[in-house]
Amino acid sequence: MRYLPDGVQMRSADTYTIEELGVPSIVLMERAALKVVEAMHEREIDTARTLVVCGSGNNGGDGFAVARLLAEEGMHVEVLFAGKETSLSRECAIQKKIAERMGIKIFTEIPQKEYTVIIDAVFGVGLSREITGRYCDIIRWMNGQDCRKAAVDIPSGVCARTGQILGTAFCADLTVSMACVKAGCELFPGKKCAGETVAVPIGISPDFFRSDPEVCFTYDRADIPALLPPRKADSHKGSYGRVLMITGSRGMAGACYLSARAAYAVGAGLVQVYTAEENRMVIQQLLPEAIVSCYRGYDPEQLSALLRWADTVCIGCGLGTTGASEDILLHTLREADTPCIIDADGLNILSRHMEALKKSSVPLILTPHMKEMSRLTGRSVAELAESRLDLVRKFTEEYPVVCVLKDSRTAAAMKGRHTFLNLAGNSAMAKAGSGDVLAGVITGLSAQGMELFESACLGVFLHACGGDEARGKKGAYSVLAGDLIAGIEAVLRKQDRGEE
């Protein structure tokens, strides 16, 4: 795993490194500049004619140091100083003075020249105000130049916490981030400005963030083997959990199939589908491995017996929002004593009974997309998109649940835990049934004994990696929800830990 701090969190780590560990700020700046130059060379960015655009703060100091290092390599380097002399930080003033003594050309007016690369070192992670005036003019000019573009730590104008654009923002091909990629570089729309993101070590340890649950984290594929529940040689189907899928009103057999099939695909031992009678034949034909139980309406005795049987419950995929569906959901919230994943129509029903969510003692994972989250919280989709990490954390502080907020950047949150931000996946996954597959994946992992939060995070990541596999096989347009399951199976096959 790796951390994705925001600007405030990163400044705390920086301060700790300087004041507690005793690493001088100028040393960190030198290391940052070295790593920026190294990253550009690794990607074969032509630095023969370089313009570095520097502000007055330490981000600008990094930029002046980059200019000096490139000049030492024999490159033609110039610096556009966009800041103010009266606002220079101590370290930036030192780096600017060195550059001047080396004879590097430094000017304050927008040049009428062509460059092979422009490097943005105007604002760092601390920017919180909208960019206006001369700064805005300079950044827009930078964006308009026909050359490669690189940003130091974060593109100027991108909010390090939310990814929102503060008036205007530099559009980089490459962002070289110090110690950790910042959350704002991975959240949209900031991601579109950050381009390729790479974290480089400069002496600030990412372990600093371990004790701060406000810092979010992400997974890479190399993490998967250690995260998967083990498969033991001496085991049977009961060893890997009994899943109850309360899914599928009349005509919604597809949601039943996709969620149940996905639970099996990630290793669940036994899946029982509880669905409308009209779906029986379809499910038995599509998924003969599943037990099929059916209802014609709300049957409390039958439902109670099924809940006692299950190790994990998934409710809501294609369930509908009729009176019977509402009774089934509320009954489940009252009587289940095993983990329960609530998705789709289950969430729409739940939004009318939020008091039941506070009263329920059932371990819960909610998997809303943005519109469903809007119903649960009363906030608009636009509000959620602008501050998703803050709002999903706030929701889990108010309600005792794990919340998986689905979007192009899905987040999973639980009170007292680091929030997970998923960076895998792609637009090919934006198809009907994709959410049913995710609900099944999380349920299947939970059934194997994983803790709720861990099953939610790994489920989101596996689902997204499966989407990347599916896109690689079928392209961006033709992926269907069933292809995601095949993609997940391919990921697990590649990452198989073997029997223990």
Side-chain angles (χ1 to χ4, degrees):
M1 61 172 286
R2 53 191 173 95
Y3 293 108
L4 302 168
D6 63 24
V8 173
Q9 295 154 355
M10 196 65 222
R11 285 201 303 274
S12 295
D14 192 70
T15 299
Y16 172 81
T17 303
I18 295 167
E19 296 183 358
E20 299 298 323
L21 299 184
V23 181
S25 178
I26 199 74
V27 171
L28 297 178
M29 189 171 285
E30 286 295 310
R31 290 177 176 174
L34 284 165
K35 290 298 181 178
V36 169
V37 173
E38 182 180 295
M40 290 194 298
H41 288 337
E42 287 175 352
R43 287 153 184 81
E44 299 183 345
I45 293 175
D46 185 358
T47 57
R49 297 188 311 282
T50 298
L51 176 68
V52 187
V53 185
C54 297
S56 307
N58 282 0
N59 193 248
D62 293 342
F64 280 113
V66 168
R68 171 170 49 81
L69 293 174
L70 289 174
E72 290 172 355
E73 293 180 358
M75 303 296 114
H76 178 78
V77 184
E78 297 180 344
V79 175
L80 169 57
F81 180 51
K84 299 176 182 178
E85 290 286 344
T86 55
S87 301
L88 282 168
S89 70
R90 184 178 69 86
E91 291 81 2
C92 187
I94 291 171
Q95 296 288 3
K96 181 172 181 288
K97 180 63 69 176
I98 295 171
E100 289 170 342
R101 289 172 176 170
M102 286 184 63
I104 294 173
K105 185 176 181 180
I106 302 173
F107 43 83
T108 58
E109 297 300 321
I110 294 174
Q112 302 299 315
K113 294 183 180 181
E114 293 184 354
Y115 299 93
T116 57
V117 62
I118 292 176
I119 300 172
D120 165 32
V122 181
F123 297 110
V125 296
L127 182 69
S128 58
R129 67 183 186 280
E130 186 169 302
I131 295 175
T132 59
R134 179 169 177 268
Y135 289 115
C136 182
D137 293 339
I138 289 173
I139 289 174
R140 288 177 176 172
W141 174 83
M142 292 160 68
N143 286 338
Q145 303 311 295
D146 183 17
C147 63
R148 300 293 298 277
K149 300 180 179 72
V152 177
D153 208 20
I154 188 169
S156 293
V158 173
C159 176
R161 184 173 183 82
T162 68
Q164 295 301 302
I165 305 303
L166 300 172
T168 190
F170 181 71
C171 295
D173 302 306
L174 170 68
T175 297
V176 184
S177 294
M178 309 312 147
C180 301
V181 174
K182 311 309 178 287
C185 287
E186 297 295 358
L187 291 166
F188 289 99
K191 177 60 180 175
K192 293 188 289 186
C193 294
E196 179 191 356
T197 54
V198 57
V200 294
I202 65 168
I204 299 174
S205 174
D207 287 342
F208 173 83
F209 303 114
R210 192 184 305 276
S211 61
D212 184 358
E214 290 292 309
V215 180
C216 61
F217 74 99
T218 193
Y219 289 142
D220 296 309
R221 283 216 186 188
D223 297 317
I224 293 176
L227 298 170
L228 289 169
R231 308 290 289 188
K232 298 180 180 179
D234 183 18
S235 61
H236 51 81
K237 62 179 180 287
S239 304
Y240 303 113
R242 297 185 297 253
V243 169
L244 176 64
M245 288 283 180
I246 306 176
T247 58
S249 58
R250 180 178 180 181
M252 297 296 290
C256 300
Y257 166 72
L258 290 168
S259 55
R261 178 73 181 79
Y264 268 136
V266 296
L270 188 60
V271 178
Q272 182 166 188
V273 174
Y274 187 46
T275 187
E277 179 65 43
E278 293 84 353
N279 295 331
R280 180 189 295 274
M281 291 302 296
V282 177
I283 299 302
Q284 288 181 329
Q285 290 175 0
L286 288 176
L287 194 62
E289 297 89 348
I291 302 169
V292 182
S293 299
C294 296
Y295 60 83
R296 294 186 182 278
Y298 172 49
D299 185 335
E301 291 184 6
Q302 182 189 29
L303 181 54
S304 292
L306 290 170
L307 291 173
R308 288 192 296 271
W309 171 87
D311 294 316
T312 302
V313 177
C314 179
I315 182 169
C317 302
L319 186 65
T321 56
T322 63
S325 300
E326 188 170 18
D327 289 338
I328 289 170
L329 176 70
L330 295 177
H331 182 116
T332 300
L333 286 176
R334 288 193 305 270
E335 295 202 9
D337 59 3
T338 55
C340 185
I341 290 80
I342 305 180
D343 186 48
D345 287 331
L347 296 168
N348 293 327
I349 296 170
L350 187 63
S351 68
R352 304 195 295 265
H353 299 277
M354 295 303 287
E355 73 286 351
L357 189 58
K358 284 189 174 180
K359 295 177 182 177
S360 178
S361 60
V362 180
L364 294 174
I365 300 177
L366 310 186
T367 57
H369 56 55
M370 297 291 272
K371 189 63 177 177
E372 290 162 347
M373 191 67 171
S374 177
R375 297 187 189 106
L376 291 171
T377 61
R379 292 181 178 271
S380 68
V381 171
E383 287 179 283
L384 292 169
E386 185 172 341
S387 302
R388 72 191 68 204
L389 295 180
D390 290 336
L391 293 178
V392 74
R393 288 190 193 109
K394 187 175 294 185
F395 183 81
T396 58
E397 289 171 0
E398 183 175 359
Y399 298 100
V401 302
V402 175
C403 184
V404 175
L405 179 56
K406 299 182 293 191
D407 197 33
S408 57
R409 284 291 188 253
T410 295
M414 179 180 179
K415 184 178 180 180
R417 301 293 297 269
H418 294 277
T419 299
F420 172 72
L421 183 65
N422 177 59
L423 306 184
N426 58 81
S427 61
M429 301 170 67
K431 292 286 180 70
S434 180
D436 301 321
V437 173
L438 175 59
V441 170
I442 295 173
T443 303
L445 293 171
S446 174
Q448 295 171 74
M450 290 188 69
E451 296 294 329
L452 279 191
F453 185 65
E454 282 71 18
S455 64
C457 297
L458 179 57
V460 168
F461 187 61
L462 282 177
H463 179 256
C465 290
D468 288 335
E469 292 282 337
R471 177 174 177 166
K473 185 174 182 180
K474 299 193 71 174
Y477 293 89
S478 302
V479 171
L480 299 179
D483 299 320
L484 302 180
I485 299 175
I488 292 165
E489 292 169 343
V491 171
L492 293 175
R493 187 166 59 249
K494 292 177 180 179
Q495 302 289 344
D496 193 355
R497 299 169 66 188
E499 294 186 347
E500 296 184 354

